[in-house]
Amino acid sequence: AGEDEVFYLSRSNGKLYYVRTGDRHRYEFDPESGNERDLMNGFIPPEETELIATYYEKAEEKDGAVYFINMKDGGRLYKYDTVTGAEYRITGLPVADFAFDGDWLYYATTKLYVNFDLYRMSLVNGEPERISTEKCMHLSFDGDYIYYANFSGSNTLNRMKKNGTENTVIFETESVDDYKTTVCDGYLYFVADGYMYRYDLEKGGEATVVSEDFKPNEYLIDGGKIYMMNDGWTNTVEVYNIASGALTEIASLGMTDDARGMFVYDGCLYYYRNVAAGSGSKGLYKVDLSAAKPEAVLVDAFDGYYITNCVVAGDK
């Protein structure tokens, strides 16, 4: 009744089994008698106190839901309904990375942390299809192609058709760093050997260094600007204007601090400042991007938490 709905519906021996969103308990319903029985009556869930950090970590928002790698279930991919609070397991295997392209979900599974496969699954019919047996990470999409970092061999940047065919190396150097790839305004941006490169998606050719003035670690691209943690002797949060080439410092983090979990929401840049033990600068920071001189302001220290991935769904 009301907002109390059921999911995980199944049938066995003439009886129905399901979970109610109200209390998240599993129920049994007998159609003949009309009786419903709470199979978890009196159950008290154990309190989770251990921080699990042995799996890959990522979260993404899609159509109001949050998809995330669940470290409490061996790194499987889950979907969290932000309205009902229900969680759904998407994959049976642990997941190393995932990304969305329209109504398609692409995800890299891992077995024993060694063997990797790339799958795609329609969000309409839910049928998974394996399209590659290589370690494909940090996926981006443009037209008919997937762009990704290939960590199966010499750490190259590759592209292939969205069905896994026509796999081609487009950038090869000592290493493509383990950050991400971003498609923006006809270019593919990525980090290799410490520097940020961009590759012309229409003309092809060789990828070129965006600027030798910065070596980004964490970064995001939004509104024609690159926000980053510039990884130097003294780490800084900076913004690079792609059109003008201007590089502006927002905040100095010191030698031991870094900025993680960057995202832009409602005209502001947010990031989590991770610091050495005992430092008073730890926490989530906010930067008003409309200010004449943007400065970082502490939002919350989040004592007891360590933030690496942030997702905005609605106003949360």
Coordinates of all heavy atoms in Angstrom, one line a residue, residues 249-294:
E249 N 45.2 28.8 -10.8 CA 45.2 28.0 -9.5 C 44.0 28.4 -8.7 O 43.7 29.5 -8.5 CB 46.5 28.2 -8.7 CG 46.6 27.5 -7.4 CD 47.9 27.7 -6.6 OE1 48.9 27.6 -7.3 OE2 47.8 28.0 -5.4
I250 N 43.4 27.3 -8.1 CA 42.2 27.5 -7.2 C 42.6 27.3 -5.8 O 42.2 28.1 -4.9 CB 41.1 26.6 -7.6 CG1 40.5 26.9 -9.0 CG2 39.9 26.6 -6.5 CD1 39.4 25.9 -9.5
A251 N 43.4 26.3 -5.5 CA 43.8 26.0 -4.1 C 45.1 25.2 -4.1 O 45.3 24.4 -4.9 CB 42.7 25.2 -3.4
S252 N 45.9 25.5 -3.1 CA 47.2 24.8 -2.9 C 46.9 23.7 -1.8 O 46.3 24.0 -0.8 CB 48.3 25.7 -2.4 OG 49.5 25.0 -2.2
L253 N 47.3 22.5 -2.1 CA 47.0 21.4 -1.2 C 48.2 20.9 -0.4 O 48.1 20.1 0.5 CB 46.5 20.2 -2.1 CG 45.3 20.4 -3.0 CD1 44.9 19.2 -3.7 CD2 44.1 20.9 -2.1
G254 N 49.4 21.4 -0.7 CA 50.6 21.0 0.0 C 51.2 19.7 -0.7 O 50.7 19.3 -1.7
M255 N 52.2 19.2 -0.1 CA 52.9 18.1 -0.7 C 52.2 16.7 -0.5 O 52.4 15.8 -1.3 CB 54.3 18.0 -0.1 CG 55.2 19.2 -0.5 SD 56.9 19.0 0.0 CE 56.7 19.2 1.8
T256 N 51.5 16.6 0.6 CA 50.9 15.3 1.0 C 49.4 15.2 0.7 O 48.8 14.1 0.7 CB 51.1 14.9 2.5 OG1 50.5 15.9 3.3 CG2 52.6 14.9 2.8
D257 N 48.7 16.3 0.4 CA 47.3 16.3 0.2 C 47.0 16.0 -1.3 O 47.8 16.3 -2.1 CB 46.7 17.6 0.6 CG 46.8 17.9 2.1 OD1 47.6 17.2 2.7 OD2 46.2 18.8 2.6
D258 N 45.8 15.5 -1.5 CA 45.3 15.4 -2.9 C 43.8 15.6 -3.0 O 43.2 15.7 -1.9 CB 45.7 14.0 -3.6 CG 45.2 12.8 -2.8 OD1 44.2 13.0 -2.0 OD2 45.7 11.7 -3.0
A259 N 43.3 15.8 -4.2 CA 41.9 16.1 -4.4 C 41.3 14.9 -5.2 O 41.8 14.5 -6.2 CB 41.7 17.4 -5.2
R260 N 40.2 14.3 -4.6 CA 39.5 13.2 -5.2 C 38.0 13.4 -5.4 O 37.5 14.3 -4.8 CB 39.8 11.9 -4.3 CG 41.2 11.6 -4.2 CD 41.9 11.2 -5.5 NE 43.3 10.8 -5.3 CZ 44.1 10.7 -6.3 NH1 43.7 10.8 -7.5 NH2 45.4 10.3 -6.1
G261 N 37.4 12.6 -6.2 CA 36.0 12.6 -6.3 C 35.4 13.9 -6.9 O 34.3 14.3 -6.5
M262 N 36.1 14.5 -7.8 CA 35.6 15.7 -8.4 C 34.3 15.6 -9.1 O 34.0 14.6 -9.9 CB 36.6 16.3 -9.4 CG 37.9 16.8 -8.7 SD 39.0 17.6 -9.9 CE 40.3 18.2 -8.9
F263 N 33.4 16.6 -8.9 CA 32.2 16.7 -9.7 C 31.7 18.1 -9.7 O 32.0 18.9 -8.8 CB 31.1 15.7 -9.2 CG 30.6 16.1 -7.8 CD1 29.4 16.8 -7.6 CD2 31.2 15.6 -6.7 CE1 28.9 17.1 -6.4 CE2 30.8 15.9 -5.4 CZ 29.6 16.7 -5.2
V264 N 30.9 18.4 -10.7 CA 30.3 19.8 -10.8 C 28.8 19.7 -10.6 O 28.1 18.8 -11.2 CB 30.6 20.4 -12.2 CG1 29.8 21.7 -12.4 CG2 32.1 20.7 -12.4
Y265 N 28.3 20.5 -9.8 CA 26.8 20.6 -9.5 C 26.4 22.0 -9.3 O 27.0 22.7 -8.4 CB 26.5 19.7 -8.3 CG 25.0 19.8 -7.9 CD1 24.0 19.2 -8.7 CD2 24.7 20.4 -6.7 CE1 22.7 19.4 -8.3 CE2 23.4 20.5 -6.3 CZ 22.4 20.0 -7.1 OH 21.1 20.1 -6.7
D266 N 25.3 22.4 -10.0 CA 24.7 23.7 -9.7 C 25.8 24.9 -9.8 O 25.8 25.8 -8.9 CB 24.0 23.7 -8.4 CG 23.0 24.9 -8.3 OD1 22.6 25.4 -9.3 OD2 22.7 25.3 -7.1
G267 N 26.6 24.8 -10.8 CA 27.6 25.9 -10.9 C 28.8 25.9 -10.0 O 29.5 26.9 -9.9
C268 N 28.9 24.8 -9.3 CA 30.0 24.7 -8.3 C 30.9 23.4 -8.5 O 30.3 22.4 -8.9 CB 29.5 24.7 -6.9 SG 28.7 26.3 -6.4
L269 N 32.1 23.5 -8.3 CA 33.0 22.4 -8.3 C 33.2 21.8 -6.9 O 33.4 22.6 -6.0 CB 34.4 22.8 -8.9 CG 35.5 21.7 -8.8 CD1 35.3 20.6 -9.7 CD2 36.9 22.4 -9.1
Y270 N 33.1 20.5 -6.8 CA 33.3 19.9 -5.5 C 34.4 18.9 -5.6 O 34.6 18.2 -6.7 CB 32.0 19.1 -5.1 CG 30.8 20.0 -4.7 CD1 30.0 20.5 -5.7 CD2 30.5 20.2 -3.4 CE1 28.9 21.3 -5.4 CE2 29.4 21.0 -3.1 CZ 28.6 21.5 -4.1 OH 27.5 22.3 -3.7
Y271 N 35.1 18.7 -4.5 CA 36.2 17.7 -4.5 C 36.4 17.3 -3.0 O 36.2 18.1 -2.1 CB 37.5 18.1 -5.2 CG 38.2 19.3 -4.6 CD1 39.1 19.1 -3.5 CD2 38.0 20.6 -5.0 CE1 39.8 20.2 -3.0 CE2 38.6 21.6 -4.5 CZ 39.5 21.4 -3.4 OH 40.2 22.5 -2.9
Y272 N 36.9 16.1 -2.8 CA 37.3 15.6 -1.5 C 38.8 15.8 -1.3 O 39.5 15.2 -2.1 CB 36.8 14.2 -1.3 CG 37.3 13.6 0.0 CD1 36.6 13.9 1.2 CD2 38.4 12.7 0.1 CE1 37.0 13.3 2.4 CE2 38.8 12.2 1.3 CZ 38.1 12.5 2.4 OH 38.5 11.9 3.6
R273 N 39.2 16.4 -0.3 CA 40.6 16.6 0.0 C 41.0 15.5 1.0 O 40.6 15.5 2.2 CB 40.8 18.0 0.6 CG 42.3 18.3 0.8 CD 42.5 19.8 1.1 NE 43.9 20.1 1.5 CZ 44.3 21.3 1.7 NH1 43.5 22.4 1.7 NH2 45.6 21.6 2.0
N274 N 41.8 14.6 0.5 CA 42.4 13.6 1.3 C 43.7 14.0 1.9 O 44.6 14.5 1.1 CB 42.6 12.3 0.5 CG 43.1 11.2 1.3 OD1 42.7 11.0 2.5 ND2 44.1 10.4 0.8
V275 N 44.0 13.9 3.1 CA 45.2 14.4 3.7 C 45.9 13.4 4.6 O 45.3 12.4 4.9 CB 44.8 15.7 4.6 CG1 44.3 16.8 3.7 CG2 43.9 15.3 5.7
A276 N 47.1 13.7 5.0 CA 47.8 12.9 5.9 C 47.1 12.8 7.3 O 46.4 13.7 7.7 CB 49.3 13.4 6.1
A277 N 47.4 11.8 8.1 CA 46.8 11.6 9.4 C 47.1 12.8 10.3 O 48.3 13.3 10.3 CB 47.4 10.3 10.0
G278 N 46.1 13.3 11.0 CA 46.3 14.4 11.9 C 46.1 15.8 11.3 O 46.1 16.8 12.0
S279 N 45.9 15.9 10.0 CA 45.8 17.1 9.3 C 44.3 17.6 9.5 O 43.4 16.8 9.6 CB 46.1 17.0 7.8 OG 45.7 18.2 7.1
G280 N 44.2 18.9 9.6 CA 42.8 19.5 9.8 C 42.2 19.9 8.5 O 41.1 20.6 8.5
S281 N 42.7 19.6 7.3 CA 42.2 20.0 6.1 C 41.3 19.0 5.3 O 40.8 19.3 4.3 CB 43.4 20.5 5.1 OG 44.1 21.5 5.7
K282 N 41.2 17.8 5.9 CA 40.4 16.8 5.3 C 38.9 17.2 5.1 O 38.4 17.9 6.0 CB 40.5 15.5 6.2 CG 39.6 14.4 5.8 CD 39.7 13.2 6.7 CE 38.7 12.1 6.5 NZ 37.3 12.6 6.8
G283 N 38.3 16.8 4.0 CA 36.9 17.0 3.9 C 36.5 17.3 2.5 O 37.3 17.3 1.5
L284 N 35.2 17.6 2.3 CA 34.6 17.9 1.0 C 34.6 19.4 0.8 O 34.1 20.2 1.7 CB 33.1 17.4 0.9 CG 32.4 17.6 -0.4 CD1 33.1 16.8 -1.5 CD2 30.9 17.3 -0.3
Y285 N 35.1 19.9 -0.3 CA 35.3 21.3 -0.6 C 34.4 21.7 -1.8 O 34.1 20.9 -2.6 CB 36.7 21.7 -0.9 CG 37.6 21.7 0.4 CD1 38.0 20.5 1.0 CD2 37.9 22.9 1.0 CE1 38.8 20.6 2.1 CE2 38.7 23.0 2.1 CZ 39.2 21.8 2.7 OH 39.9 21.8 3.8
K286 N 34.0 23.0 -1.8 CA 33.1 23.5 -2.8 C 33.7 24.8 -3.4 O 34.2 25.7 -2.6 CB 31.8 23.9 -2.2 CG 30.8 24.6 -3.1 CD 29.5 24.8 -2.3 CE 28.5 25.6 -3.1 NZ 27.2 25.8 -2.4
V287 N 33.7 24.9 -4.7 CA 34.3 26.1 -5.4 C 33.2 26.7 -6.2 O 32.7 26.1 -7.1 CB 35.5 25.7 -6.3 CG1 36.0 26.9 -6.9 CG2 36.5 25.0 -5.4
D288 N 32.8 28.0 -6.0 CA 31.9 28.7 -6.8 C 32.6 29.1 -8.1 O 33.4 30.0 -8.1 CB 31.4 29.9 -6.0 CG 30.3 30.7 -6.8 OD1 30.0 30.3 -7.9 OD2 29.7 31.6 -6.2
L289 N 32.2 28.5 -9.2 CA 32.8 28.7 -10.5 C 32.4 30.1 -11.1 O 33.1 30.5 -12.0 CB 32.5 27.6 -11.4 CG 33.0 26.2 -11.0 CD1 32.6 25.2 -12.0 CD2 34.5 26.2 -10.8
S290 N 31.4 30.7 -10.6 CA 31.0 32.0 -11.1 C 31.7 33.2 -10.4 O 31.6 34.3 -10.9 CB 29.5 32.2 -10.9 OG 29.1 32.3 -9.6
A291 N 32.5 32.9 -9.4 CA 33.2 34.0 -8.7 C 34.3 34.5 -9.5 O 34.9 33.8 -10.3 CB 33.7 33.4 -7.4
A292 N 34.6 35.8 -9.3 CA 35.7 36.4 -10.1 C 37.0 35.7 -9.8 O 37.9 35.6 -10.7 CB 35.8 37.9 -9.7
K293 N 37.2 35.3 -8.5 CA 38.4 34.6 -8.1 C 37.9 33.4 -7.3 O 37.8 33.4 -6.1 CB 39.3 35.5 -7.3 CG 40.6 34.8 -6.9 CD 41.5 35.7 -6.1 CE 42.8 35.0 -5.8 NZ 43.7 35.9 -5.0
P294 N 37.7 32.2 -8.0 CA 37.2 31.1 -7.3 C 38.1 30.6 -6.2 O 39.3 30.5 -6.4 CB 37.1 30.0 -8.4 CG 37.0 30.8 -9.7 CD 37.9 32.0 -9.4

